[in-house]
Amino acid sequence: MIQLPPSFSYTRSTEMLARSQVLKRSWPVVLDLCVAGIGLACFYGVVQIAKYWFGQPVPQITISLSPRALPLYAFYSIVRIGLAYLLSLIFAIGYGYIAAYNRRVEALMIAGLDILQSIPVLSFLPGVMLAMVALFPTRQIGVEMGAIVLIFTGQVWNMAFSFYSSLKSIPRELSEAATIYKFSRWQRLIELELPYAAIGLVWNSMVSVAGGWFFLMACEMFVLGTRDFRLPGLGSYLQTAASTGDGKAIAWGLFTMIAIIVATDQLIWRPIIAWSDKFKFEQVETKSRIGSPLLHMLQHSRAIKTLSRRTIKPLTEAIYQRVAEGRSSQARKAAQFDEAAVKRHERWAGLLRGFVLAVIFVVVLYAALHALSLLRQVQRTEFAAIMKGALATFLRVNTALLLASAWTIPAGVAIGFHPRLARIAQPLAQIAASVPATALFPVILLALVKMGGGLGIGSIALMMLGTQWYILFNVIAGAMAIPTDLREVATLFRFTEVQRWRTVILPGIFPYLITGLVTASGGAWNASIIAEYFHLKNQTLQTTGLGATISAATDRGEFQILLLATIVMALMVVTINRLVWRPLYRLAETRYTLGA
């Protein structure tokens, strides 16, 4: 046996300690360099986009199917989807906040949200694109902004529903605490409402971005009458490859899209999910938490800590102080006003409100008269065909919802209850939700034709591929939001599986499930424009349905048919909302909310 000198272990431990101290000192520097690199890359991307957007518009863009064009196309598509998402997030928070706290317009706004989410992207297309091109006639930014707004119309509605539902289900004790501590509206939004809605908003953001990828093909390349609008991007690349039947190009495009989705999941969604997990409403902290290496890196970056300590926190405190001083000043001014001044102020406010309503009424009346002049051109046979198509699409939408719910509810609960499973299943679900079903549809359609089916059955499959993720991601969010103490009580009292579902799981996920079903229903109506009318090589396949009617009318420039089909679809969605979804929302608000 070899005898080591007594000083060997001491010297070795000293060296190891010195190395660890060096690594501890150098690691924050590496993190700062990574953060600086990300910032420089974003700055370079902004410069390149600005050069392209503010350049002269390209009259006719030829989409190259070479794999070498994919990096630039992918960059353009990521920017469009990212800007559309930021616009959707701002709109969802503002719209959901007003709808939740303004009783006078709540019913009207929710009905409007139901209508807007069910209107297909192609129904927005003529007005949006022509308006943007007219607004920026000499710059490429006009067509780009039109595509971004179209992607926005495919992303925003489920986020607005999620935020509204979260605000309506805030526990009473939390609202009373905010009232007791005299939170301003700004403080209440930042300290209570956004944190409580964070989990649902994050998961709906993921499915919204997935919806943006789904409709990317329709938003980057489309025909409007005699005009052919094309933008360089992944969506136009995949649509060109699918229409020409180029399997190799489709494979390259899908591979690029999947790589982007995986990178997005690891660099953006995984850190945000781990961060939002701290807002879970529970009295007993869960033992297993979701982790993210990137979030750990950002939290331990000295540059970000310094920025937060010296800039963000002082700025936040200054805003809070200014808001508090403003409220105190308003209270003093109100105390000084006499009753006559208050009545005079209310009178002027009423006159201003009446003037705004009158302007809105005139604008709506003008648009309605022009719409009626268009509808007079519709023949009786065309009206009968639209009603027949409405019935067919209604049956397909509900069939797709039933089939999607059968597997997404148990799968979502399993993923939400097991963080380890979520780490594996969530990126896979994100990939599956983001891959445009229209790129896979030629293969599905050919297989169904060989089996004896057709586009009637294939359209249901395409609707499911585009809308089942709304239910899945909302159920995952609802399962994750169930307090750990409730689950532990169920385990302690040895509930059977049926008892767990009846007393804990279904009541806990019910508000999220209703949100998922509502948005999935609207998404299915929206997806009908692609599911029922499809270009394959040099032929057009279609089946009876409202979606096929809208797509065909858009291709031919028949705006009267497009308008009538859109109105019929909106009326059907509003009727379903009144008879089904509104009572279920009211039940979720009154019976299935967390609170002491």
Side-chain angles (χ1 to χ4, degrees):
M1 184 175 180
I2 301 175
Q3 295 290 333
L4 296 176
S7 61
F8 180 82
S9 60
Y10 174 77
T11 305
R12 187 63 178 270
S13 62
T14 304
E15 291 177 356
M16 293 177 63
L17 180 61
R19 288 181 182 178
S20 65
Q21 290 177 349
V22 171
L23 290 174
K24 189 175 181 180
R25 288 195 299 267
S26 61
W27 179 242
V29 178
V30 175
L31 298 181
D32 293 341
L33 291 176
C34 292
V35 173
I38 293 173
L40 290 175
C42 293
F43 178 76
Y44 177 76
V46 170
V47 172
Q48 294 300 315
I49 284 294
K51 288 182 179 179
Y52 171 62
W53 281 10
F54 290 97
Q56 295 296 323
V58 182
Q60 184 70 32
I61 295 178
T62 302
I63 303 300
S64 172
L65 294 182
S66 171
R68 296 181 180 179
L70 279 172
L72 183 61
Y73 288 175
F75 173 69
Y76 287 147
S77 295
I78 290 171
V79 171
R80 294 182 192 115
I81 289 180
L83 291 177
Y85 169 73
L86 291 178
L87 184 63
S88 301
L89 182 63
I90 296 171
F91 179 89
I93 293 175
Y95 196 97
Y97 188 90
I98 296 173
Y101 291 121
N102 194 324
R103 295 285 184 181
R104 294 181 178 178
V105 298
E106 179 181 4
L108 180 63
M109 292 183 70
I110 296 303
L113 199 60
D114 286 321
I115 296 173
L116 290 172
Q117 72 149 347
S118 63
I119 296 177
V121 170
L122 291 184
S123 296
F124 290 106
L125 190 150
V128 169
M129 191 56 64
L130 294 178
M132 289 299 172
V133 172
L135 191 61
F136 302 98
T138 61
R139 293 289 183 267
Q140 180 68 20
I141 190 175
V143 182
E144 292 286 344
M145 289 301 297
I148 290 172
V149 173
L150 289 176
I151 297 172
F152 160 84
T153 61
Q155 287 185 341
V156 65
W157 316 120
N158 63 298
M159 296 171 60
F161 266 119
S162 174
F163 191 67
Y164 165 80
S165 178
S166 297
L167 294 184
K168 299 296 288 186
S169 60
I170 292 178
R172 184 182 302 173
E173 59 268 26
L174 295 184
S175 298
E176 291 176 351
T179 303
I180 291 172
Y181 285 101
K182 298 181 180 179
F183 277 15
S184 64
R185 290 187 178 181
W186 176 258
Q187 285 177 300
R188 186 183 177 92
L189 177 66
I190 300 298
E191 302 293 340
L192 173 60
E193 292 159 350
L194 283 177
Y196 187 80
I199 295 177
L201 202 55
V202 166
W203 285 92
N204 274 280
S205 296
M206 294 170 63
V207 75
S208 289
V209 173
W213 285 108
F214 181 85
F215 288 107
L216 192 66
M217 294 173 67
C219 296
E220 288 186 346
M221 185 175 176
F222 50 87
V223 177
L224 184 58
T226 58
R227 303 186 64 178
D228 187 358
F229 290 93
R230 299 187 183 191
L231 291 173
L234 264 180
S236 56
Y237 182 94
L238 284 169
Q239 185 168 344
T240 303
S243 61
T244 57
D246 192 337
K248 185 178 179 181
I250 292 176
W252 274 109
L254 291 178
F255 174 78
T256 304
M257 183 173 290
I258 290 172
I260 293 171
I261 294 166
V262 172
T264 304
D265 174 76
Q266 295 300 315
L267 298 177
I268 298 178
W269 297 126
R270 179 57 50 181
I272 293 178
I273 290 173
W275 168 79
S276 66
D277 195 49
K278 68 179 182 179
F279 299 121
K280 191 174 181 180
F281 180 66
E282 58 185 1
Q283 297 177 356
V284 178
E285 186 177 4
T286 183
K287 296 179 181 178
S288 56
R289 290 288 184 186
I290 300 174
S292 168
L294 181 59
L295 179 64
H296 178 79
M297 181 189 78
L298 295 175
Q299 289 176 338
H300 290 80
S301 171
R302 290 189 302 187
I304 294 180
K305 287 183 178 179
T306 303
L307 179 66
S308 176
R309 185 176 65 254
R310 296 185 178 181
T311 304
I312 297 177
K313 287 185 178 179
L315 181 62
T316 304
E317 292 176 358
I319 292 175
Y320 284 162
Q321 185 176 359
R322 182 65 60 88
V323 170
E325 291 175 354
R327 292 180 66 193
S328 300
S329 176
Q330 290 178 0
R332 288 194 298 269
K333 290 180 181 180
Q336 295 174 359
F337 287 157
D338 56 2
E339 186 176 352
V342 173
K343 290 183 178 180
R344 194 162 49 249
H345 175 75
E346 292 178 350
R347 190 183 306 114
W348 279 107
L351 290 175
L352 179 61
R353 190 183 302 113
F355 175 75
V356 173
L357 291 176
V359 171
I360 294 175
F361 175 77
V362 171
V363 172
V364 172
L365 181 62
Y366 178 80
L369 291 176
H370 277 266
L372 288 175
S373 65
L374 278 176
L375 294 179
R376 289 173 184 169
Q377 304 174 19
V378 180
Q379 304 296 324
R380 288 186 177 181
T381 55
E382 294 172 334
F383 179 78
I386 289 175
M387 298 307 296
K388 181 180 178 181
L391 178 60
T393 304
F394 173 79
L395 295 176
R396 292 192 190 100
V397 166
N398 287 280
T399 302
L401 283 179
L402 290 174
L403 294 175
S405 301
W407 79 269
T408 53
I409 293 176
V413 170
I415 295 172
F417 276 7
H418 302 91
R420 291 184 179 179
L421 178 61
R423 281 193 291 269
I424 301 173
Q426 181 259 318
L428 296 178
Q430 182 73 8
I431 293 171
S434 302
V435 173
T438 44
L440 303 175
F441 199 48
V443 180
I444 299 174
L445 185 58
L446 291 175
L448 287 172
V449 170
K450 288 182 179 179
M451 294 170 58
L455 193 60
I457 299 176
S459 59
I460 297 176
L462 188 59
M463 285 182 183
M464 284 186 59
L465 289 174
T467 61
Q468 60 193 352
W469 312 110
Y470 293 104
I471 306 174
L472 177 65
F473 281 76
N474 274 280
V475 171
I476 293 174
M480 293 182 65
I482 294 177
T484 306
D485 43 349
L486 294 183
R487 294 164 55 185
E488 291 182 352
V489 166
T491 304
L492 182 64
F493 283 95
R494 299 180 180 179
F495 281 9
T496 64
E497 195 65 24
V498 174
Q499 288 176 320
R500 284 168 59 88
W501 276 89
R502 288 182 57 187
T503 59
V504 178
I505 297 175
L506 285 179
I509 68 172
F510 190 77
Y512 297 86
L513 178 60
I514 297 303
T515 300
L517 288 172
V518 170
T519 52
S521 175
W525 285 101
N526 207 334
S528 65
I529 61 172
I530 302 174
E532 297 174 348
Y533 188 90
F534 193 78
H535 295 285
L536 184 61
K537 293 185 178 181
N538 295 324
Q539 59 179 335
T540 300
L541 303 176
Q542 67 180 91
T543 186
T544 303
L546 269 183
T549 303
I550 290 173
S551 296
T554 304
D555 280 354
R556 295 192 295 263
E558 297 176 346
F559 297 117
Q560 70 277 10
I561 302 296
L562 176 64
L563 177 61
L564 181 58
T566 303
I567 291 175
V568 170
M569 185 177 289
L571 289 176
M572 292 184 68
V573 171
V574 170
T575 302
I576 295 171
N577 170 68
R578 289 296 179 185
L579 297 178
V580 180
W581 302 125
R582 288 307 302 162
L584 291 176
Y585 256 123
R586 197 173 300 112
L587 182 64
E589 296 169 10
T590 56
R591 185 172 179 181
Y592 297 114
T593 57
L594 293 172

